[in-house]
Amino acid sequence: MGDGLVLTRGTWSWDVCEPSRYQLCGTMQFFNITKRNELFIPEVQGKVRIFSRDILDDVSSKIQIIPVHPGEKPKKRCDGYWPAYITRAGESTAMQVILDIQSSRGRQLHGLQAVRLELEYVCYGPHGRSSHAQHLVLPLSFPPVVESNPQWQEIKGLGYVMPIRTHLLSHLDDPLQVLQTYALPHCKAGDMIAIGETPLAIMQGRFRHPRGLQPGLVAKLACRCFLPTSSLATACGMQSLIDISGRLRVIVAVIIAVIARLMGIRGMFYRIAGKQARLIDDVSGTLPPYDQYITLGPIHVQATVDALKAKTGCEVAVVDANDLRQVQILAASHGINDKVLQAALRDNPAGNADEQMPLVLIRPTL
C-alpha cells in the first residue's frame, strides 16, 4: 500500500500468441483509500524479467503503460509519457499495461516459462513523496492437461500417489479451475486431492516483495530470537507477521515464548502469534520467481476445501509438507482420512524445489 494509494495486480489476457511473438494485456487500477486526502500519481514505469529454459540472447520485451482515467483527462500521449494525475479521496483510476515479447531471429518462444512484472509508481501528497511497486507473475508455458503416461507411485500398504504438474500458478488462477484442468481427468471415486499451502496462497495473491516492507524496531529485535533457518529470522519476515497479527500480539508472544523456553517449553510463540506464524515462507522459501518474495499463508482454507469438495465431488485437503517428513494438514473436507493422507505425503512426493507440482492425487487401496 502506497501511503493510501493502492495499485491492484489487475486482470490480464493473452492477446497475441504467435510462434515468435507474444502480447499480454492487463488493466490495473489505482485506489485512493484515504478518507480526505488527494494523492498524486506523478510517475509510473514498468520492469520486465523473463524466465526461460533457453538462452534469451535474441528475445526482447517492450512494455507500454497507457493511462485510462475517468473522462479520459488528461488524454494519453503518443510518446508513452505518464502525465501526473490526481486521485481524490475514495476515488480510483486505471492504466492499461501492454507487454510485447518477441524473438529477433524469429525462433519459437515455447521455451519461455513465465514473466515477472514490476510496476513502480510514485505517490505524492500530504505525507510527502514515496516510491512503491506492485509485482505480478504471468505464466507463459502450460503442460499437457492429461499426461499420456501418468506417473503413479506406490505407497506400500496404503495405495498410490501421483504428483501433478501444472503451469506456474499466479494470482490469476482459481483453485477450482486448476483442479478441474489438471486433477479431475485422473480422479476416481474415493481419491483425495492434496493442495500445497504455498501454491494456494500464491493463487490468493498473498506474496510480498521485501522492498515493500518497512521493518520496525520490534521486527528487528524479535527476529533474533529464532534459528537462522526460520522464516521469521529476518526483519522483513517478522515484519510481515506483525502486519498480519499486530505488533502487540507479537510482543506478547515473544515475551511468553522466552519465559516458556527457560522452563523447557517450546512452541509457545506460534501458539500465541497466530496460525500465520507457522505458514510464512521467507525469501528463497519457494520456487522461482517467487523465491524473491515473502509468501504468506493462505486464508479461508476450510471454506476453500469445502467449496472444492462440493463442486468437484472429490475429497480435498490443504497441506504443508516438506523434505523433513513433516506433514501439516491445514484444512480437509469431511471424508479425508488424516492418517492415510499424512502417510501418503510423508516422503513429500511433490518435492520441495522447483518441481512445479502443487497438487498430489492420492488413491487409497485400504
Side-chain angles (χ1 to χ4, degrees), residues 258-304:
V258 170
I259 296 172
R261 188 177 297 179
L262 295 175
M263 301 171 61
I265 303 172
R266 294 186 173 272
M268 288 300 297
F269 177 86
Y270 297 99
R271 298 178 201 175
I272 298 170
K275 294 181 179 179
Q276 286 290 322
R278 293 185 182 274
L279 302 178
I280 290 172
D281 283 325
D282 202 357
V283 168
S284 82
T286 187
L287 80 170
Y290 296 107
D291 60 332
Q292 293 188 1
Y293 297 86
I294 297 171
T295 306
L296 312 178
I299 56 176
H300 310 309
V301 285
Q302 189 60 54
T304 298

Side-chain angles (χ1 to χ4, degrees), residues 117-359:
L117 297 180
E118 181 179 350
L119 281 304
E120 299 176 332
Y121 62 98
V122 170
C123 178
Y124 181 80
H127 67 285
R129 184 183 187 277
S130 54
S131 299
H132 307 274
Q134 179 60 282
H135 300 253
L136 61 147
V137 175
L138 303 174
L140 298 176
S141 176
F142 297 83
V145 172
V146 179
E147 297 181 15
S148 57
N149 184 26
Q151 301 297 311
W152 287 95
Q153 303 172 17
E154 183 177 5
I155 306 296
K156 200 167 184 179
L158 289 176
Y160 298 87
V161 299
M162 182 175 70
I164 299 176
R165 185 182 302 279
T166 69
H167 61 276
L168 186 68
L169 300 176
S170 75
H171 75 285
L172 297 172
D173 288 299
D174 174 64
L176 175 61
Q177 186 176 9
V178 171
L179 262 61
Q180 289 175 332
T181 301
Y182 295 104
L184 292 193
H186 302 285
C187 279
K188 293 183 178 180
D191 287 354
M192 299 183 290
I193 303 173
I195 307 173
E197 56 96 5
T198 297
L200 178 59
I202 286 172
M203 287 188 277
Q204 294 176 342
R206 291 179 59 76
F207 55 93
R208 303 180 65 182
H209 197 281
R211 193 188 308 166
L213 291 161
Q214 297 179 348
L217 180 61
V218 173
K220 293 176 181 178
L221 294 177
C223 70
R224 299 177 183 275
C225 299
F226 293 80
L227 293 174
T229 53
S230 171
S231 287
L232 300 178
T234 65
C236 288
M238 180 61 71
Q239 186 62 48
S240 67
L241 175 62
I242 292 172
D243 291 347
I244 298 170
S245 298
R247 185 170 57 179
L248 180 59
R249 186 174 183 179
V250 169
I251 291 174
V252 172
V254 169
I255 294 172
I256 294 178
V258 170
I259 296 172
R261 188 177 297 179
L262 295 175
M263 301 171 61
I265 303 172
R266 294 186 173 272
M268 288 300 297
F269 177 86
Y270 297 99
R271 298 178 201 175
I272 298 170
K275 294 181 179 179
Q276 286 290 322
R278 293 185 182 274
L279 302 178
I280 290 172
D281 283 325
D282 202 357
V283 168
S284 82
T286 187
L287 80 170
Y290 296 107
D291 60 332
Q292 293 188 1
Y293 297 86
I294 297 171
T295 306
L296 312 178
I299 56 176
H300 310 309
V301 285
Q302 189 60 54
T304 298
V305 298
D306 290 342
L308 292 174
K309 165 67 184 296
K311 294 177 180 178
T312 65
C314 295
E315 302 297 342
V316 181
V318 176
V319 302
D320 181 12
N322 58 40
D323 289 338
L324 301 177
R325 297 177 61 84
Q326 297 173 338
V327 180
Q328 180 185 0
I329 302 174
L330 275 64
S333 55
H334 181 70
I336 290 282
N337 184 320
D338 288 4
K339 291 184 178 179
V340 171
L341 180 62
Q342 288 181 329
L345 299 178
R346 191 161 290 128
D347 290 330
N348 196 16
N352 231 41
D354 59 354
E355 291 84 357
Q356 209 167 301
M357 294 181 176
L359 308 176

Side-chain angles (χ1 to χ4, degrees), residues 65-135:
I65 300 175
I66 303 170
V68 186
H69 299 313
E72 297 185 355
K73 294 182 179 180
K75 292 184 178 181
K76 62 183 180 183
R77 295 168 56 104
C78 297
D79 59 3
Y81 181 80
W82 175 276
Y85 183 79
I86 302 173
T87 58
R88 292 181 172 84
E91 294 186 352
S92 65
T93 189
M95 64 182 182
Q96 184 182 29
V97 182
I98 301 175
L99 173 64
D100 274 287
I101 302 172
Q102 60 182 352
S103 167
S104 59
R105 300 175 187 169
R107 71 178 174 95
Q108 294 189 356
L109 299 176
H110 56 74
L112 304 189
Q113 297 172 298
V115 60
R116 183 184 67 201
L117 297 180
E118 181 179 350
L119 281 304
E120 299 176 332
Y121 62 98
V122 170
C123 178
Y124 181 80
H127 67 285
R129 184 183 187 277
S130 54
S131 299
H132 307 274
Q134 179 60 282
H135 300 253

